[in-house]
Amino acid sequence: MTGPAAAPPTFTPGPDAMAHLELILNGACPLPGFMTASETASVVKRGRLPDGTPWPVPVTLPVPDELVGAERVTLTDAEGAPLAELTVSERWWAGSLPWRVNGETSGHRLAGEVHLARPPVHGVYRSLRRAPAEVRGSREIGALAHRPMLAVLTDRPLHHRALHQIRTAIKEVGRGGPVEVLLLIDAPFDDEGAVPAVLAAEPLLPPRSRFAVLTLPRAETTDGIAPPEGRTELLAAHVAAAYGASHLLINRDPDQPPAVPVPGAPVRIVAPAAWAYDIRAGAWRLADRVTAGESRSELTPTEVEDLLGRGETLPAWFTSSRVSAELARRRPARVRRGLTLFFTGLSGSGKSTIARGVADAIRRSGRTVTLLDGDVVRRMLSSGLTFSRSDRDLNVRRIGYVAAEIGRHGGVAVCAPIAPYAATRAEVRAMAEDTGDFFLVHVATPLEVCEARDRKGLYAKARLGEIPEFTGISDPYEAPGDADLVIDTTTATEAESVATVVEALRAGGWLPRMAG
């Protein structure tokens, strides 16, 4: 007799593959699972599957080496709950794709059908992550399926310009008749994104507008090669069609090129009307009706962030008070916003000493601060980890996770690990910026100065080979190119270095200005 079959290995897909998986499971993507090599090649080259079915972007599942031989794989959410089971039909190496797919351009892929294990529960605003069949069914029950439906895809708030564009599109689509409106809000799984700000604009939308939250995969460029023109718009059009839309309007920032009709789209992509604010009339008007020199365009995201960071109210000509209040809630003034202050540098560079001094200054300013020093974290949070590259990366990620949680609740986390690798620092930045702000300080004290100090005798041991993989001696330190502040403690005193960092935080708005 043979024993019971071994349980398949589990795997949590990356963000883009997870987005594809949910689109497959909810029916927005008309595929049974992840693509084979030939299917991917056909889609990349022609925008069609080998059988001629139109589909604009590859749907692939990147996996680590240890899963290449698996026959079945249980795909889970970030918390480990099973979502689906993949029956592997092909294992293939992606080679070099012409643009970044699922966050990378090469690596192992598994192809095959996926079967739902249980309905997903992960992701914020889960109650609004409505399946296409649910939306279509509710329209049919209400005898509304005969009406045209305008889907509005947005991953940003609906300011006055966007609301005017939606109203103009409704008139164009309906030609005087009633039109259903569906807001498709593209938001990350683990973050509320623009959802609250979009919902805040509901009173300004047509009555009974519907909302559905989804997560679309990102097709990024690599080496300057972008996806063929129109592919991202086509993906949005296919998803909108699955929800029963007849037309699609894509809301973009004013500094981005507008989405325009694309040949082969399953629904008509409506080109947004150009609107501008008429300064003299004090109203938004179609841009071609505003006299040159008397108009102004919508604020850019950078301008919005700057106003919010200073604690200022967004102007009424730009957005509604409800949307403004929601954005202010999510992005309070920097002096009240969570912050990860991250020091990186060689051992002996002075980063821990400076970090302690800066933490004291932040505390005196009245802000809540937590110091996550590298050595202390090693003892309290990462006890048992070695100094291998993988364990050092894990230590830094743990620091980043704790710092991000501190930032989520409005606190300041001051971190001072060596953090020698750029990729890991980028992960920490991403975690921190999901919940607050991130400020990177490179303590760029030269190696020879750090080694001369060597109060712990570590460099001497590394030179003798007693400490393997020691940063700066037998392992590299990747100097950051994205530091917000660079300081060198070779000649600067501790007090001078602390003052430099504190003044940078005050200038950025994270600390209150001194009275007088």
Side-chain angles (χ1 to χ4, degrees):
M1 295 180 62
T2 60
T10 61
F11 176 63
T12 302
D16 285 334
M18 184 69 79
H20 281 304
L21 177 61
E22 180 148 311
L23 294 179
I24 293 169
L25 295 178
N26 72 15
C29 174
L31 299 173
F34 291 99
M35 292 179 178
T36 64
S38 61
E39 290 171 336
T40 301
S42 179
V43 166
V44 167
K45 185 176 181 180
R46 302 188 298 121
R48 293 179 178 274
L49 294 168
D51 65 3
T53 302
W55 188 255
V57 297
V59 180
T60 69
L61 179 64
V63 296
D65 294 349
E66 56 267 25
L67 286 181
V68 172
E71 299 292 336
R72 296 179 298 136
V73 179
T74 298
L75 303 177
T76 71
D77 65 20
E79 296 180 355
L83 295 173
E85 183 170 294
L86 168 70
T87 301
V88 179
S89 62
E90 183 179 304
R91 304 157 187 83
W92 58 284
W93 178 260
S96 182
L97 297 171
W99 75 83
R100 191 178 301 274
V101 175
N102 292 335
E104 55 189 85
T105 56
S106 64
H108 294 292
R109 302 290 196 272
L110 293 182
E113 293 189 11
V114 294
H115 300 278
L116 179 68
R118 64 182 65 175
V121 296
H122 70 296
V124 296
Y125 285 94
R126 174 50 60 182
S127 62
L128 287 178
R129 288 183 176 269
R130 307 169 66 193
E134 179 186 350
V135 174
R136 296 195 309 270
S138 64
R139 293 188 72 218
E140 292 168 358
I141 292 174
L144 302 174
H146 67 283
R147 293 183 179 179
M149 184 165 79
L150 174 68
V152 180
L153 176 67
T154 185
D155 61 357
R156 63 206 66 238
L158 300 178
H159 301 302
H160 288 318
R161 180 184 68 99
L163 292 168
H164 281 295
Q165 289 177 332
I166 292 171
R167 296 184 191 111
T168 303
I170 290 172
K171 293 179 180 178
E172 178 184 342
V173 169
R175 298 184 178 182
V179 174
E180 296 293 308
V181 177
L182 173 66
L183 271 296
L184 296 175
I185 311 174
D186 184 6
F189 283 113
D190 56 355
D191 185 80
E192 62 184 10
V195 177
V198 175
L199 296 178
E202 182 175 9
L204 304 174
L205 291 165
R208 297 179 299 279
S209 293
R210 303 166 187 266
F211 296 85
V213 176
L214 48 74
T215 302
L216 293 181
R218 300 289 185 259
E220 304 170 3
T221 64
T222 181
D223 297 328
I225 303 174
E229 184 176 356
R231 292 292 181 97
T232 54
E233 290 83 358
L234 279 172
L235 173 62
H238 277 278
V239 172
Y243 278 90
S246 57
H247 297 75
L248 170 66
L249 177 69
I250 301 177
N251 179 36
R252 287 178 172 166
D253 284 330
D255 56 353
Q256 295 179 311
V260 296
V262 178
V267 300
R268 183 187 165 200
I269 300 176
V270 180
W275 283 78
Y277 183 72
D278 188 327
I279 299 173
R280 175 173 293 186
W284 283 87
R285 303 176 64 188
L286 288 167
D288 59 6
R289 299 179 183 176
V290 182
T291 304
E294 295 182 356
S295 69
R296 70 166 302 168
S297 60
E298 184 178 82
L299 296 179
T300 67
T302 300
E303 291 171 325
V304 171
E305 170 62 22
D306 184 58
L307 288 171
L308 294 174
R310 297 200 306 265
E312 298 182 16
T313 301
L314 298 179
W317 68 263
F318 163 68
T319 195
S320 71
S321 58
R322 289 173 57 92
V323 173
S324 178
E326 183 53 48
L327 291 176
R329 180 198 68 80
R330 178 164 172 76
R331 299 294 287 171
R334 290 191 187 100
V335 75
R336 300 193 307 274
R337 195 180 299 174
L339 172 67
T340 296
L341 177 59
F342 198 91
F343 291 84
T344 177
L346 295 170
S347 177
S349 63
K351 61 186 181 301
S352 295
T353 302
I354 300 169
R356 284 194 295 271
V358 172
D360 287 341
I362 295 172
R363 193 173 292 110
R364 288 194 297 270
S365 78
R367 296 210 60 178
T368 302
V369 62
T370 301
L371 178 63
L372 300 173
D373 181 67
D375 292 337
V376 176
V377 169
R378 272 282 177 179
R379 293 196 303 271
M380 304 302 295
L381 187 64
S382 296
S383 177
L385 293 184
T386 68
F387 286 88
S388 67
R389 173 161 186 161
S390 60
D391 276 6
R392 280 183 288 170
D393 276 346
L394 179 56
N395 178 57
V396 174
R397 290 191 189 97
R398 287 180 178 178
I399 292 173
Y401 175 78
V402 173
E405 290 303 303
I406 293 169
R408 186 187 302 278
H409 300 286
V412 180
V414 179
C415 314
I418 293 174
Y421 308 122
T424 313
R425 292 194 300 263
E427 290 183 45
V428 173
R429 179 185 286 275
M431 283 190 282
E433 290 181 343
D434 275 345
T435 61
D437 290 342
F438 183 84
F439 193 93
L440 180 63
V441 180
H442 179 203
V443 185
T445 307
L447 174 61
E448 57 271 18
V449 176
C450 297
E451 191 168 0
R453 293 171 178 172
D454 203 16
R455 64 183 180 86
K456 300 178 184 178
L458 299 178
Y459 283 100
K461 292 180 179 179
R463 292 288 186 189
L464 294 172
E466 297 176 10
I467 303 179
E469 296 183 289
F470 189 83
T471 301
I473 302 299
S474 52
D475 204 63
Y477 176 80
E478 299 172 357
D482 60 342
D484 299 287
L485 180 66
V486 179
I487 56 178
D488 183 344
T489 65
T490 301
T491 57
T493 66
E494 175 188 338
E496 290 171 337
S497 297
V498 169
T500 298
V501 178
V502 170
E503 177 54 32
L505 296 179
R506 284 204 181 102
W510 291 285
L511 295 181
R513 282 287 184 184
M514 302 294 290

